[in-house]
Amino acid sequence: MNSPTHTPSSASSSSPYMLRPPPCLPHAARNLKCPLPLPQTISTLQKKYSCFGAHVEASFNTNPLKNYTSARCSPNQFLNKQLFTEGSLATPTAQEFPDAALVGDDKIGVLLLNLGGPETLEDVQPFLFNLFADPDIIRLPRIFSFLQKPLAQFVSVARAPKSKEGYASIGGGSPLRRMTDAQAEELKKSLWAKNVPAKVYVGMRYWHPFTEEAIEQIKRDGITKLVVLPLYPQFSISTSGSSLRLLESLFREDEYLVNMQHTVIPSWYQREGYIKAMANLIEKELKSFDCPEQVMIFFSAHGVPLAYVEEAGDPYKAEMEECVDLIMEELETRKITNTYTLAYQSRVGPVEWLRPYTDETIIELGKKGVKSLLAVPISFVSEHIETLEEIDVEYKELALESGIEKWGRVPALGCEPTFISDLADAVIESLPYVGAMAASSNLEARQSLVPLGSVEELLAAYDSQRRELPPPVIVWEWGWTKSAETWNGRVAMLAVLLLLFYEVTADKGLLHQLVIWPSLR
Ligand SMILES: C=CC1=C(C)c2cc3[nH]c(cc4nc(cc5[nH]c(cc1n2)c(C)c5CCC(=O)O)C(CCC(=O)O)=C4C)c(C)c3C=C
Ligand SMILES: [Fe+2]
């Protein structure tokens, strides 16, 4: 793709953004004074705009599946000029700004969103409680929503022993916090090296440091412009969507946050740097096999319940497939034309999840005579329990039992320099589009030049109705066939709900007797 350029003009001094923002969504596009087309196909448009005297040339990627338009630009030059030529700052260095991420009058923050994981075995049950108490993980019918927490308590207590075993086998806790902190530190360094002195925060959804803690720190630091960057390459309602929902509620409740300008990078699997970094890892790992060209590349993504995609419109599957295609295209340019496949792992409970399943696919490949597999975890950028235990131990064992002789696994991206540098570029490219939350009372914000209410709009685009979905998690399973399991699970789910309903209303019952539930008396 050509690298478009922005040519700032004198119009910039009063308005920080000369580029009419190609925002995330059609809604915002409608507000643009320089009209942006919304083509019906995935495409890249090279466009020249003349806005408020500023001549802008940018390329816009539009993806009808995601219903948003994103811009690729070469903003470094643009930003440096924009942000640093007004006399207030001249290309600062880390030493010059030890404590503040200042650009002009703005303090820039980047909020990395991630899942979080238990750091000790004692953390496992409360971590699971937080996860199952999330309506984006277990979505109960609205009339049962008051049962969300009791159900989360029940399910987390029931699942904890199995989960604990897993965490015990990888050293007694998740490496996620350590790895995400390291990524935050490297991202900060990369941003500063690119002349964007930003502070980087980590906000986890289900464990420390919680998103709420990060937000408090952001307020204490007086951040005025925030880029929200979920650390999931592909968007899912259950991951990035859930974190954005939480942010939405925090933003709504707080006057400081309502007025803080922000933008969200909802997914970034299609970025060149990320694709190249993944291809680098695969290329390197292939070389460890005796006959690299005979190895099947096995992309294994974390699954989501099928209903998320088919009923709630989760773009996760489409993004995942596109991501795999892009990586394979990149490998092809390097003359690597191995066979490949994509499957989904880590399903929980008896409902249907995205297919094909990783375990079933491994068995089938073994039957078909595949002898060498290279597993590529694709939905997450850190090592975690599902790479270290599920892939490295369970799937490897299954593969060897199924007749596969050679097994390899690509490491998670972690702090790989191409990847971190690309994340920094993604942040920088998003800065011109940092907008203000659309609050009905915030007239000034609504009239500002930049797109408004990004978190809100993204949620509206991806999961507007928040439809009820079959809960993905159940505490027990029985039955011999998948379909029987599904129905058994649904019946069991209903039974659990009725049981909990009885416990809550009667303040007595099985859970009270087992002292899992505190009596109100
Ligand atoms: C893109 C990644 C992920 C998606 C999509 C996702 C959906 C999803 N997960 C569960 C249930 C559990 N997930 C658990 C751990 C876990 N999940 C992800 C990523 C995605 N989840 C990660 C990286 C981790 C591991 C964190 C760590 O500690 O290292 C767990 C706990 C572990 C276990 O008991 O197996 C559960 C449970 C559901 C139901 C779901 C979609 C609805
Ligand atoms: Fe998960």
Side-chain angles (χ1 to χ4, degrees), residues 115 117-118 127-128 131-132 137 159 163 167 174 238-239 302-305 308 316 348 353 379-380 384-386 472-473:
L115 188 115
F127 160 78
L128 290 174
L131 189 129
F132 294 128
I137 292 286
R159 190 175 170 90
S163 286
Y167 284 107
S174 170
S238 60
T239 53
H302 196 299
V304 294
Y308 280 55
Y316 183 72
V348 187
W353 285 56
S379 45
F380 211 61
H384 61 288
I385 190 166
E386 283 144 7
V473 176

PDB file of all heavy atoms in Angstrom, residues 115 117-118 127-128 131-132 137 159 163 167 174 238-239 302-305 308 316 348 353 379-380 384-386 472-473, ligand 1:
ATOM      1  N   LEU A 115      -7.144  -9.302  29.825  1.00  0.00           N
ATOM      2  CA  LEU A 115      -8.041 -10.165  30.595  1.00  0.00           C
ATOM      3  C   LEU A 115      -7.660 -10.252  32.069  1.00  0.00           C
ATOM      4  O   LEU A 115      -8.508 -10.180  32.951  1.00  0.00           O
ATOM      5  CB  LEU A 115      -7.983 -11.546  29.946  1.00  0.00           C
ATOM      6  CG  LEU A 115      -8.942 -12.586  30.432  1.00  0.00           C
ATOM      7  CD1 LEU A 115      -9.919 -12.970  29.330  1.00  0.00           C
ATOM      8  CD2 LEU A 115      -8.215 -13.827  30.904  1.00  0.00           C
ATOM      9  N   GLY A 117      -5.113 -12.454  34.994  1.00  0.00           N
ATOM     10  CA  GLY A 117      -5.071 -13.871  35.365  1.00  0.00           C
ATOM     11  C   GLY A 117      -4.641 -13.999  36.813  1.00  0.00           C
ATOM     12  O   GLY A 117      -3.991 -13.110  37.362  1.00  0.00           O
ATOM     13  N   PRO A 118      -5.018 -15.114  37.450  1.00  0.00           N
ATOM     14  CA  PRO A 118      -4.670 -15.306  38.857  1.00  0.00           C
ATOM     15  C   PRO A 118      -3.162 -15.415  39.040  1.00  0.00           C
ATOM     16  O   PRO A 118      -2.507 -16.128  38.288  1.00  0.00           O
ATOM     17  CB  PRO A 118      -5.355 -16.629  39.210  1.00  0.00           C
ATOM     18  CG  PRO A 118      -5.567 -17.322  37.908  1.00  0.00           C
ATOM     19  CD  PRO A 118      -5.723 -16.265  36.878  1.00  0.00           C
ATOM     20  N   PHE A 127     -10.828 -15.022  40.891  1.00  0.00           N
ATOM     21  CA  PHE A 127     -10.649 -14.626  39.480  1.00  0.00           C
ATOM     22  C   PHE A 127     -11.777 -15.208  38.621  1.00  0.00           C
ATOM     23  O   PHE A 127     -12.393 -14.516  37.810  1.00  0.00           O
ATOM     24  CB  PHE A 127      -9.279 -15.111  38.984  1.00  0.00           C
ATOM     25  CG  PHE A 127      -9.157 -15.213  37.483  1.00  0.00           C
ATOM     26  CD1 PHE A 127      -8.967 -14.078  36.707  1.00  0.00           C
ATOM     27  CD2 PHE A 127      -9.230 -16.453  36.838  1.00  0.00           C
ATOM     28  CE1 PHE A 127      -8.862 -14.175  35.312  1.00  0.00           C
ATOM     29  CE2 PHE A 127      -9.121 -16.553  35.449  1.00  0.00           C
ATOM     30  CZ  PHE A 127      -8.938 -15.407  34.689  1.00  0.00           C
ATOM     31  N   LEU A 128     -12.062 -16.487  38.842  1.00  0.00           N
ATOM     32  CA  LEU A 128     -13.136 -17.126  38.073  1.00  0.00           C
ATOM     33  C   LEU A 128     -14.480 -16.479  38.386  1.00  0.00           C
ATOM     34  O   LEU A 128     -15.327 -16.312  37.508  1.00  0.00           O
ATOM     35  CB  LEU A 128     -13.199 -18.631  38.380  1.00  0.00           C
ATOM     36  CG  LEU A 128     -12.044 -19.478  37.841  1.00  0.00           C
ATOM     37  CD1 LEU A 128     -12.157 -20.916  38.343  1.00  0.00           C
ATOM     38  CD2 LEU A 128     -12.002 -19.463  36.316  1.00  0.00           C
ATOM     39  N   LEU A 131     -14.790 -13.461  36.353  1.00  0.00           N
ATOM     40  CA  LEU A 131     -15.012 -13.807  34.942  1.00  0.00           C
ATOM     41  C   LEU A 131     -16.472 -14.214  34.701  1.00  0.00           C
ATOM     42  O   LEU A 131     -17.135 -13.710  33.796  1.00  0.00           O
ATOM     43  CB  LEU A 131     -14.051 -14.935  34.567  1.00  0.00           C
ATOM     44  CG  LEU A 131     -13.948 -15.317  33.103  1.00  0.00           C
ATOM     45  CD1 LEU A 131     -12.483 -15.339  32.680  1.00  0.00           C
ATOM     46  CD2 LEU A 131     -14.537 -16.662  32.789  1.00  0.00           C
ATOM     47  N   PHE A 132     -16.990 -15.094  35.563  1.00  0.00           N
ATOM     48  CA  PHE A 132     -18.346 -15.585  35.335  1.00  0.00           C
ATOM     49  C   PHE A 132     -19.416 -14.573  35.743  1.00  0.00           C
ATOM     50  O   PHE A 132     -20.577 -14.713  35.364  1.00  0.00           O
ATOM     51  CB  PHE A 132     -18.559 -16.915  36.070  1.00  0.00           C
ATOM     52  CG  PHE A 132     -17.716 -18.035  35.509  1.00  0.00           C
ATOM     53  CD1 PHE A 132     -16.914 -18.814  36.331  1.00  0.00           C
ATOM     54  CD2 PHE A 132     -17.707 -18.299  34.152  1.00  0.00           C
ATOM     55  CE1 PHE A 132     -16.130 -19.835  35.816  1.00  0.00           C
ATOM     56  CE2 PHE A 132     -16.923 -19.311  33.623  1.00  0.00           C
ATOM     57  CZ  PHE A 132     -16.126 -20.083  34.453  1.00  0.00           C
ATOM     58  N   ILE A 137     -19.726 -12.824  29.435  1.00  0.00           N
ATOM     59  CA  ILE A 137     -19.246 -14.211  29.447  1.00  0.00           C
ATOM     60  C   ILE A 137     -20.415 -15.161  29.699  1.00  0.00           C
ATOM     61  O   ILE A 137     -20.606 -16.144  29.006  1.00  0.00           O
ATOM     62  CB  ILE A 137     -18.128 -14.405  30.501  1.00  0.00           C
ATOM     63  CG1 ILE A 137     -16.865 -13.634  30.087  1.00  0.00           C
ATOM     64  CG2 ILE A 137     -17.799 -15.877  30.713  1.00  0.00           C
ATOM     65  CD1 ILE A 137     -16.062 -14.237  28.939  1.00  0.00           C
ATOM     66  N   ARG A 159     -15.706 -24.823  39.425  1.00  0.00           N
ATOM     67  CA  ARG A 159     -14.637 -24.978  38.429  1.00  0.00           C
ATOM     68  C   ARG A 159     -13.240 -24.823  39.027  1.00  0.00           C
ATOM     69  O   ARG A 159     -12.248 -25.284  38.445  1.00  0.00           O
ATOM     70  CB  ARG A 159     -14.839 -23.954  37.297  1.00  0.00           C
ATOM     71  CG  ARG A 159     -13.920 -24.225  36.131  1.00  0.00           C
ATOM     72  CD  ARG A 159     -14.133 -23.348  34.944  1.00  0.00           C
ATOM     73  NE  ARG A 159     -13.062 -23.541  33.982  1.00  0.00           N
ATOM     74  CZ  ARG A 159     -13.073 -24.432  32.999  1.00  0.00           C
ATOM     75  NH1 ARG A 159     -14.121 -25.209  32.843  1.00  0.00           N
ATOM     76  NH2 ARG A 159     -12.050 -24.561  32.185  1.00  0.00           N
ATOM     77  N   SER A 163      -9.370 -25.691  37.396  1.00  0.00           N
ATOM     78  CA  SER A 163      -8.520 -24.565  36.961  1.00  0.00           C
ATOM     79  C   SER A 163      -7.229 -24.508  37.768  1.00  0.00           C
ATOM     80  O   SER A 163      -6.158 -24.256  37.216  1.00  0.00           O
ATOM     81  CB  SER A 163      -9.264 -23.234  37.148  1.00  0.00           C
ATOM     82  OG  SER A 163     -10.233 -23.087  36.184  1.00  0.00           O
ATOM     83  N   TYR A 167      -3.310 -24.144  36.619  1.00  0.00           N
ATOM     84  CA  TYR A 167      -2.380 -23.074  37.017  1.00  0.00           C
ATOM     85  C   TYR A 167      -1.206 -23.647  37.816  1.00  0.00           C
ATOM     86  O   TYR A 167      -0.082 -23.160  37.712  1.00  0.00           O
ATOM     87  CB  TYR A 167      -3.111 -21.972  37.789  1.00  0.00           C
ATOM     88  CG  TYR A 167      -3.930 -21.079  36.867  1.00  0.00           C
ATOM     89  CD1 TYR A 167      -5.321 -21.152  36.826  1.00  0.00           C
ATOM     90  CD2 TYR A 167      -3.300 -20.182  36.008  1.00  0.00           C
ATOM     91  CE1 TYR A 167      -6.060 -20.348  35.969  1.00  0.00           C
ATOM     92  CE2 TYR A 167      -4.028 -19.376  35.144  1.00  0.00           C
ATOM     93  CZ  TYR A 167      -5.415 -19.463  35.133  1.00  0.00           C
ATOM     94  OH  TYR A 167      -6.128 -18.672  34.267  1.00  0.00           O
ATOM     95  N   SER A 174      -0.772 -17.254  36.655  1.00  0.00           N
ATOM     96  CA  SER A 174      -0.705 -16.811  35.258  1.00  0.00           C
ATOM     97  C   SER A 174       0.444 -15.829  35.052  1.00  0.00           C
ATOM     98  O   SER A 174       0.674 -14.962  35.895  1.00  0.00           O
ATOM     99  CB  SER A 174      -2.031 -16.130  34.897  1.00  0.00           C
ATOM    100  OG  SER A 174      -1.922 -15.508  33.659  1.00  0.00           O
ATOM    101  N   SER A 238     -16.783 -10.988  23.808  1.00  0.00           N
ATOM    102  CA  SER A 238     -16.426 -11.560  25.109  1.00  0.00           C
ATOM    103  C   SER A 238     -15.096 -11.029  25.655  1.00  0.00           C
ATOM    104  O   SER A 238     -14.791 -11.252  26.818  1.00  0.00           O
ATOM    105  CB  SER A 238     -16.359 -13.086  25.004  1.00  0.00           C
ATOM    106  OG  SER A 238     -15.372 -13.461  24.055  1.00  0.00           O
ATOM    107  N   THR A 239     -14.309 -10.349  24.841  1.00  0.00           N
ATOM    108  CA  THR A 239     -13.008  -9.867  25.323  1.00  0.00           C
ATOM    109  C   THR A 239     -12.937  -8.334  25.255  1.00  0.00           C
ATOM    110  O   THR A 239     -13.281  -7.668  26.228  1.00  0.00           O
ATOM    111  CB  THR A 239     -11.867 -10.522  24.519  1.00  0.00           C
ATOM    112  OG1 THR A 239     -12.108 -10.313  23.116  1.00  0.00           O
ATOM    113  CG2 THR A 239     -11.755 -11.995  24.803  1.00  0.00           C
ATOM    114  N   HIS A 302      -8.442 -19.077  20.338  1.00  0.00           N
ATOM    115  CA  HIS A 302      -9.390 -19.283  21.437  1.00  0.00           C
ATOM    116  C   HIS A 302     -10.796 -19.256  20.839  1.00  0.00           C
ATOM    117  O   HIS A 302     -11.100 -18.394  20.019  1.00  0.00           O
ATOM    118  CB  HIS A 302      -9.211 -18.153  22.449  1.00  0.00           C
ATOM    119  CG  HIS A 302      -9.830 -18.439  23.781  1.00  0.00           C
ATOM    120  ND1 HIS A 302     -11.169 -18.665  23.953  1.00  0.00           N
ATOM    121  CD2 HIS A 302      -9.284 -18.524  25.011  1.00  0.00           C
ATOM    122  CE1 HIS A 302     -11.415 -18.877  25.235  1.00  0.00           C
ATOM    123  NE2 HIS A 302     -10.285 -18.813  25.908  1.00  0.00           N
ATOM    124  N   GLY A 303     -11.638 -20.181  21.234  1.00  0.00           N
ATOM    125  CA  GLY A 303     -12.996 -20.204  20.700  1.00  0.00           C
ATOM    126  C   GLY A 303     -13.921 -19.225  21.402  1.00  0.00           C
ATOM    127  O   GLY A 303     -13.580 -18.655  22.447  1.00  0.00           O
ATOM    128  N   VAL A 304     -15.083 -19.022  20.788  1.00  0.00           N
ATOM    129  CA  VAL A 304     -16.208 -18.355  21.465  1.00  0.00           C
ATOM    130  C   VAL A 304     -17.452 -19.172  21.136  1.00  0.00           C
ATOM    131  O   VAL A 304     -17.480 -19.880  20.121  1.00  0.00           O
ATOM    132  CB  VAL A 304     -16.414 -16.880  21.014  1.00  0.00           C
ATOM    133  CG1 VAL A 304     -15.263 -15.992  21.413  1.00  0.00           C
ATOM    134  CG2 VAL A 304     -16.686 -16.774  19.520  1.00  0.00           C
ATOM    135  N   PRO A 305     -18.478 -19.093  21.979  1.00  0.00           N
ATOM    136  CA  PRO A 305     -19.701 -19.817  21.642  1.00  0.00           C
ATOM    137  C   PRO A 305     -20.238 -19.350  20.279  1.00  0.00           C
ATOM    138  O   PRO A 305     -20.191 -18.155  19.973  1.00  0.00           O
ATOM    139  CB  PRO A 305     -20.651 -19.424  22.777  1.00  0.00           C
ATOM    140  CG  PRO A 305     -19.742 -19.073  23.913  1.00  0.00           C
ATOM    141  CD  PRO A 305     -18.557 -18.421  23.283  1.00  0.00           C
ATOM    142  N   TYR A 308     -22.441 -16.294  19.763  1.00  0.00           N
ATOM    143  CA  TYR A 308     -21.880 -14.940  19.776  1.00  0.00           C
ATOM    144  C   TYR A 308     -21.734 -14.431  18.352  1.00  0.00           C
ATOM    145  O   TYR A 308     -21.997 -13.273  18.058  1.00  0.00           O
ATOM    146  CB  TYR A 308     -20.503 -14.921  20.477  1.00  0.00           C
ATOM    147  CG  TYR A 308     -20.580 -14.915  21.986  1.00  0.00           C
ATOM    148  CD1 TYR A 308     -21.287 -15.899  22.657  1.00  0.00           C
ATOM    149  CD2 TYR A 308     -19.957 -13.933  22.736  1.00  0.00           C
ATOM    150  CE1 TYR A 308     -21.361 -15.913  24.036  1.00  0.00           C
ATOM    151  CE2 TYR A 308     -20.024 -13.938  24.122  1.00  0.00           C
ATOM    152  CZ  TYR A 308     -20.728 -14.939  24.765  1.00  0.00           C
ATOM    153  OH  TYR A 308     -20.804 -14.941  26.132  1.00  0.00           O
ATOM    154  N   TYR A 316     -15.606 -11.723  15.496  1.00  0.00           N
ATOM    155  CA  TYR A 316     -14.403 -12.470  15.858  1.00  0.00           C
ATOM    156  C   TYR A 316     -13.984 -13.495  14.790  1.00  0.00           C
ATOM    157  O   TYR A 316     -12.839 -13.529  14.363  1.00  0.00           O
ATOM    158  CB  TYR A 316     -14.669 -13.162  17.196  1.00  0.00           C
ATOM    159  CG  TYR A 316     -13.510 -13.928  17.774  1.00  0.00           C
ATOM    160  CD1 TYR A 316     -12.410 -13.266  18.312  1.00  0.00           C
ATOM    161  CD2 TYR A 316     -13.522 -15.322  17.820  1.00  0.00           C
ATOM    162  CE1 TYR A 316     -11.352 -13.984  18.864  1.00  0.00           C
ATOM    163  CE2 TYR A 316     -12.477 -16.036  18.376  1.00  0.00           C
ATOM    164  CZ  TYR A 316     -11.395 -15.357  18.897  1.00  0.00           C
ATOM    165  OH  TYR A 316     -10.353 -16.066  19.442  1.00  0.00           O
ATOM    166  N   VAL A 348     -15.588 -24.122  26.794  1.00  0.00           N
ATOM    167  CA  VAL A 348     -16.013 -24.380  28.172  1.00  0.00           C
ATOM    168  C   VAL A 348     -17.505 -24.680  28.142  1.00  0.00           C
ATOM    169  O   VAL A 348     -18.262 -23.914  27.555  1.00  0.00           O
ATOM    170  CB  VAL A 348     -15.782 -23.117  29.056  1.00  0.00           C
ATOM    171  CG1 VAL A 348     -16.063 -23.424  30.522  1.00  0.00           C
ATOM    172  CG2 VAL A 348     -14.386 -22.560  28.879  1.00  0.00           C
ATOM    173  N   TRP A 353     -19.529 -24.275  20.286  1.00  0.00           N
ATOM    174  CA  TRP A 353     -18.545 -23.210  20.095  1.00  0.00           C
ATOM    175  C   TRP A 353     -18.127 -23.181  18.632  1.00  0.00           C
ATOM    176  O   TRP A 353     -18.552 -24.038  17.860  1.00  0.00           O
ATOM    177  CB  TRP A 353     -17.326 -23.435  21.021  1.00  0.00           C
ATOM    178  CG  TRP A 353     -17.604 -23.089  22.471  1.00  0.00           C
ATOM    179  CD1 TRP A 353     -18.607 -23.597  23.252  1.00  0.00           C
ATOM    180  CD2 TRP A 353     -16.899 -22.158  23.303  1.00  0.00           C
ATOM    181  NE1 TRP A 353     -18.554 -23.048  24.518  1.00  0.00           N
ATOM    182  CE2 TRP A 353     -17.503 -22.156  24.575  1.00  0.00           C
ATOM    183  CE3 TRP A 353     -15.795 -21.331  23.110  1.00  0.00           C
ATOM    184  CZ2 TRP A 353     -17.069 -21.361  25.635  1.00  0.00           C
ATOM    185  CZ3 TRP A 353     -15.344 -20.530  24.168  1.00  0.00           C
ATOM    186  CH2 TRP A 353     -15.981 -20.556  25.414  1.00  0.00           C
ATOM    187  N   SER A 379      -4.902 -15.845  18.964  1.00  0.00           N
ATOM    188  CA  SER A 379      -5.867 -14.859  19.448  1.00  0.00           C
ATOM    189  C   SER A 379      -5.356 -14.038  20.616  1.00  0.00           C
ATOM    190  O   SER A 379      -6.083 -13.211  21.151  1.00  0.00           O
ATOM    191  CB  SER A 379      -7.157 -15.563  19.860  1.00  0.00           C
ATOM    192  OG  SER A 379      -6.859 -16.709  20.617  1.00  0.00           O
ATOM    193  N   PHE A 380      -4.117 -14.231  20.990  1.00  0.00           N
ATOM    194  CA  PHE A 380      -3.639 -13.592  22.198  1.00  0.00           C
ATOM    195  C   PHE A 380      -2.150 -13.333  22.046  1.00  0.00           C
ATOM    196  O   PHE A 380      -1.459 -14.125  21.396  1.00  0.00           O
ATOM    197  CB  PHE A 380      -3.897 -14.541  23.374  1.00  0.00           C
ATOM    198  CG  PHE A 380      -4.156 -13.832  24.652  1.00  0.00           C
ATOM    199  CD1 PHE A 380      -5.231 -12.975  24.776  1.00  0.00           C
ATOM    200  CD2 PHE A 380      -3.313 -14.023  25.738  1.00  0.00           C
ATOM    201  CE1 PHE A 380      -5.468 -12.313  25.967  1.00  0.00           C
ATOM    202  CE2 PHE A 380      -3.544 -13.367  26.930  1.00  0.00           C
ATOM    203  CZ  PHE A 380      -4.623 -12.515  27.046  1.00  0.00           C
ATOM    204  N   HIS A 384      -0.012 -17.741  28.193  1.00  0.00           N
ATOM    205  CA  HIS A 384      -1.018 -17.850  29.247  1.00  0.00           C
ATOM    206  C   HIS A 384      -1.357 -19.313  29.435  1.00  0.00           C
ATOM    207  O   HIS A 384      -0.771 -20.178  28.768  1.00  0.00           O
ATOM    208  CB  HIS A 384      -2.246 -16.995  28.921  1.00  0.00           C
ATOM    209  CG  HIS A 384      -2.934 -17.394  27.647  1.00  0.00           C
ATOM    210  ND1 HIS A 384      -2.402 -17.152  26.409  1.00  0.00           N
ATOM    211  CD2 HIS A 384      -4.104 -18.030  27.426  1.00  0.00           C
ATOM    212  CE1 HIS A 384      -3.213 -17.614  25.473  1.00  0.00           C
ATOM    213  NE2 HIS A 384      -4.258 -18.153  26.066  1.00  0.00           N
ATOM    214  N   ILE A 385      -2.305 -19.574  30.315  1.00  0.00           N
ATOM    215  CA  ILE A 385      -2.554 -20.977  30.657  1.00  0.00           C
ATOM    216  C   ILE A 385      -2.893 -21.817  29.427  1.00  0.00           C
ATOM    217  O   ILE A 385      -2.521 -22.988  29.334  1.00  0.00           O
ATOM    218  CB  ILE A 385      -3.655 -21.089  31.744  1.00  0.00           C
ATOM    219  CG1 ILE A 385      -3.723 -22.525  32.262  1.00  0.00           C
ATOM    220  CG2 ILE A 385      -5.002 -20.611  31.258  1.00  0.00           C
ATOM    221  CD1 ILE A 385      -4.506 -22.686  33.543  1.00  0.00           C
ATOM    222  N   GLU A 386      -3.558 -21.192  28.441  1.00  0.00           N
ATOM    223  CA  GLU A 386      -4.007 -21.991  27.296  1.00  0.00           C
ATOM    224  C   GLU A 386      -2.906 -22.242  26.264  1.00  0.00           C
ATOM    225  O   GLU A 386      -3.049 -23.099  25.406  1.00  0.00           O
ATOM    226  CB  GLU A 386      -5.250 -21.344  26.679  1.00  0.00           C
ATOM    227  CG  GLU A 386      -6.458 -21.650  27.555  1.00  0.00           C
ATOM    228  CD  GLU A 386      -7.471 -20.532  27.647  1.00  0.00           C
ATOM    229  OE1 GLU A 386      -7.323 -19.532  26.933  1.00  0.00           O
ATOM    230  OE2 GLU A 386      -8.401 -20.657  28.457  1.00  0.00           O
ATOM    231  N   PRO A 472     -22.487 -19.938  27.995  1.00  0.00           N
ATOM    232  CA  PRO A 472     -21.482 -20.875  27.518  1.00  0.00           C
ATOM    233  C   PRO A 472     -20.996 -21.838  28.582  1.00  0.00           C
ATOM    234  O   PRO A 472     -20.332 -22.814  28.291  1.00  0.00           O
ATOM    235  CB  PRO A 472     -20.340 -19.962  27.083  1.00  0.00           C
ATOM    236  CG  PRO A 472     -20.507 -18.728  27.899  1.00  0.00           C
ATOM    237  CD  PRO A 472     -21.969 -18.589  28.144  1.00  0.00           C
ATOM    238  N   VAL A 473     -21.306 -21.530  29.833  1.00  0.00           N
ATOM    239  CA  VAL A 473     -20.661 -22.271  30.912  1.00  0.00           C
ATOM    240  C   VAL A 473     -21.685 -23.002  31.747  1.00  0.00           C
ATOM    241  O   VAL A 473     -22.731 -22.488  32.062  1.00  0.00           O
ATOM    242  CB  VAL A 473     -19.898 -21.284  31.816  1.00  0.00           C
ATOM    243  CG1 VAL A 473     -19.300 -22.011  32.993  1.00  0.00           C
ATOM    244  CG2 VAL A 473     -18.828 -20.606  31.018  1.00  0.00           C
TER     245      VAL A 473
HETATM  246  C1  LIG B   1      -9.236 -13.993  22.520  1.00  0.00           C
HETATM  247  C2  LIG B   1      -9.101 -14.645  23.607  1.00  0.00           C
HETATM  248  C3  LIG B   1     -10.194 -15.133  24.464  1.00  0.00           C
HETATM  249  C4  LIG B   1     -11.553 -15.319  24.210  1.00  0.00           C
HETATM  250  C5  LIG B   1     -12.316 -15.033  22.944  1.00  0.00           C
HETATM  251  C6  LIG B   1     -12.133 -15.836  25.416  1.00  0.00           C
HETATM  252  C7  LIG B   1     -13.476 -16.175  25.593  1.00  0.00           C
HETATM  253  C8  LIG B   1     -13.966 -16.916  26.667  1.00  0.00           C
HETATM  254  N1  LIG B   1     -13.258 -17.453  27.731  1.00  0.00           N
HETATM  255  C9  LIG B   1     -14.102 -18.143  28.587  1.00  0.00           C
HETATM  256  C10 LIG B   1     -13.760 -18.812  29.779  1.00  0.00           C
HETATM  257  C11 LIG B   1     -12.497 -18.804  30.396  1.00  0.00           C
HETATM  258  N2  LIG B   1     -11.371 -18.186  29.932  1.00  0.00           N
HETATM  259  C12 LIG B   1     -10.327 -18.396  30.822  1.00  0.00           C
HETATM  260  C13 LIG B   1      -9.034 -17.952  30.703  1.00  0.00           C
HETATM  261  C14 LIG B   1      -8.549 -17.236  29.618  1.00  0.00           C
HETATM  262  N3  LIG B   1      -9.247 -16.784  28.510  1.00  0.00           N
HETATM  263  C15 LIG B   1      -8.404 -16.116  27.659  1.00  0.00           C
HETATM  264  C16 LIG B   1      -8.698 -15.548  26.427  1.00  0.00           C
HETATM  265  C17 LIG B   1      -9.955 -15.549  25.819  1.00  0.00           C
HETATM  266  N4  LIG B   1     -11.139 -15.948  26.349  1.00  0.00           N
HETATM  267  C18 LIG B   1      -7.115 -16.151  28.290  1.00  0.00           C
HETATM  268  C19 LIG B   1      -5.897 -15.503  27.714  1.00  0.00           C
HETATM  269  C20 LIG B   1      -7.208 -16.831  29.489  1.00  0.00           C
HETATM  270  C21 LIG B   1      -6.086 -17.200  30.434  1.00  0.00           C
HETATM  271  C22 LIG B   1      -5.671 -16.170  31.417  1.00  0.00           C
HETATM  272  C23 LIG B   1      -4.569 -16.689  32.244  1.00  0.00           C
HETATM  273  O1  LIG B   1      -4.796 -16.796  33.445  1.00  0.00           O
HETATM  274  O2  LIG B   1      -3.477 -17.029  31.763  1.00  0.00           O
HETATM  275  C24 LIG B   1     -10.803 -19.160  31.911  1.00  0.00           C
HETATM  276  C25 LIG B   1      -9.984 -19.552  33.139  1.00  0.00           C
HETATM  277  C26 LIG B   1      -9.078 -20.671  32.911  1.00  0.00           C
HETATM  278  C27 LIG B   1      -9.841 -21.952  32.949  1.00  0.00           C
HETATM  279  O3  LIG B   1     -10.463 -22.257  33.968  1.00  0.00           O
HETATM  280  O4  LIG B   1      -9.884 -22.612  31.903  1.00  0.00           O
HETATM  281  C28 LIG B   1     -12.143 -19.444  31.652  1.00  0.00           C
HETATM  282  C29 LIG B   1     -13.089 -20.246  32.501  1.00  0.00           C
HETATM  283  C30 LIG B   1     -15.395 -18.038  28.027  1.00  0.00           C
HETATM  284  C31 LIG B   1     -16.625 -18.669  28.637  1.00  0.00           C
HETATM  285  C32 LIG B   1     -15.317 -17.280  26.851  1.00  0.00           C
HETATM  286  C33 LIG B   1     -16.370 -16.834  25.901  1.00  0.00           C
HETATM  287  C34 LIG B   1     -17.602 -16.616  26.191  1.00  0.00           C
END
